[in-house]
Amino acid sequence: MTNNDILRRIRFTFDFNDSKMIEIFGAAELEVTREQVSNWLKKDDDSDFVKIRDIELATFLNGLINVKRGKKEGPQVEPEKRLTNNMVFMKLRIALNLKAEDIVDILKLSGFDVSKHELSSFFRKPDNKHYRECKDQILRNFLQGIQLDIRPETAE
């Protein structure tokens, strides 16, 4: 999945307008313009389409955590310069305050079964022997499951 796909899916799932998107970036101390947000959300074949970089998506996800959960005391968390599916998954889990059972249920909504044990491997540090890379299919199913949970009327 591309960063732009992830951003588009989050925007649709939570029904965020441009102002809310700008507010979320601002919650992690990144000022963006409506034009930047609009260009990141455009389809890949649009002439105005712009790829959102890892650091910008990481900032957005940090902002989402701040908006949904409240900002932690102290300085803003530095956004990662390199973002993996595992990191995106973890940030969404934190923002939505999800426990393992919640994630298992969300994944079931999209027709994807995973055990708690298997799930925990995605949230481990990469140097842990039980760490497992989160593939696009799993992240896509998770985002789809969140959408079906929050906006059931969008089910096909």
Side-chain angles (χ1 to χ4, degrees):
M1 291 189 75
T2 69
N3 290 343
N4 297 74
D5 288 334
I6 294 166
L7 191 67
R8 281 190 288 262
R9 285 174 179 252
I10 292 170
R11 176 192 170 105
F12 179 78
T13 296
F14 294 99
D15 201 19
F16 293 149
N17 60 25
D18 288 350
S19 298
K20 187 66 176 180
M21 297 289 287
I22 293 167
E23 175 192 328
I24 292 169
F25 277 104
E29 301 174 2
L30 178 64
E31 286 188 35
V32 297
T33 64
R34 187 173 304 275
E35 181 182 10
Q36 280 177 296
V37 170
S38 176
N39 290 341
W40 287 328
L41 296 168
K42 291 189 184 310
K43 294 290 181 196
D44 299 10
D45 57 1
D46 190 297
S47 62
D48 291 331
F49 169 79
V50 175
K51 278 185 164 186
I52 185 168
R53 298 175 307 159
D54 284 354
I55 194 166
E56 293 159 337
L57 181 61
T59 302
F60 176 80
L61 293 169
N62 290 345
L64 187 63
I65 291 169
N66 291 343
V67 168
K68 294 277 188 189
R69 300 272 311 260
K71 190 172 182 315
K72 276 184 166 178
E73 292 292 318
Q76 175 60 43
V77 174
E78 285 293 316
E80 293 79 2
K81 290 178 176 60
R82 178 83 181 95
L83 205 54
T84 65
N85 284 349
N86 295 66
M87 293 173 182
V88 172
F89 202 170
M90 176 67 90
K91 287 177 181 287
L92 288 170
R93 174 185 170 195
I94 293 167
L96 301 174
N97 199 22
L98 298 172
K99 308 232 177 310
E101 301 82 27
D102 302 325
I103 297 171
V104 168
D105 292 343
I106 286 169
L107 285 166
K108 276 185 185 162
L109 287 175
S110 66
F112 193 84
D113 284 324
V114 65
S115 69
K116 281 192 209 176
H117 176 72
E118 189 178 8
L119 187 61
S120 72
S121 67
F122 300 128
F123 302 121
R124 297 181 186 278
K125 293 191 187 297
D127 58 356
N128 184 297
K129 70 177 184 171
H130 298 292
Y131 170 85
R132 210 170 113 212
E133 181 184 338
C134 179
K135 302 285 187 193
D136 284 350
Q137 176 191 14
I138 295 163
L139 186 58
R140 189 176 297 110
N141 279 299
F142 178 63
L143 289 166
Q144 179 72 26
I146 293 171
Q147 179 184 325
L148 293 170
D149 187 42
I150 292 174
R151 297 182 69 180
E153 75 278 4
T154 63
E156 292 143 27

